Amino acid sequence: MANHLFLTETEGAKDNLKYTVGAKDLLIDLKVLLKEYYAATFTEDGSSLIMKFTNGQVFCLNLKEEVK
């Protein structure tokens, strides 16, 4: 998977008035940010990010866009 570049809403929108971020893009950004702070193994599973630590702890972050 290619590295995702961080963009602000304004930069990503360009000439469009609305800019939306997808759950997959947000997941990739969170993965990059979390890698800066935690020594863990990160894997993606669809719309989830799984973090495995050397002490045996495992966390699963699930992303789902809520549409109102």
Side-chain angles (χ1 to χ4, degrees):
M1 177 175 290
N3 289 334
H4 180 42
L5 299 176
F6 296 96
L7 293 174
T8 64
E9 284 190 31
T10 308
E11 291 169 336
K14 296 185 182 176
D15 296 330
N16 299 326
L17 295 178
K18 287 187 175 182
Y19 175 76
T20 57
V21 63
K24 187 73 170 174
D25 292 330
L26 184 56
L27 181 73
I28 293 169
D29 287 345
L30 288 172
K31 180 180 176 182
V32 171
L33 289 170
L34 289 170
K35 279 185 170 187
E36 293 292 319
Y37 295 95
Y38 296 99
T41 302
F42 294 83
T43 54
E44 297 170 44
D45 183 18
S47 61
S48 300
L49 179 62
I50 300 167
M51 301 170 54
K52 294 181 182 179
F53 291 88
T54 56
N55 67 0
Q57 287 182 292
V58 179
F59 293 90
C60 181
L61 302 173
N62 297 303
L63 281 179
K64 178 182 143 192
E65 180 179 2
E66 289 193 25
V67 181
K68 292 185 179 190

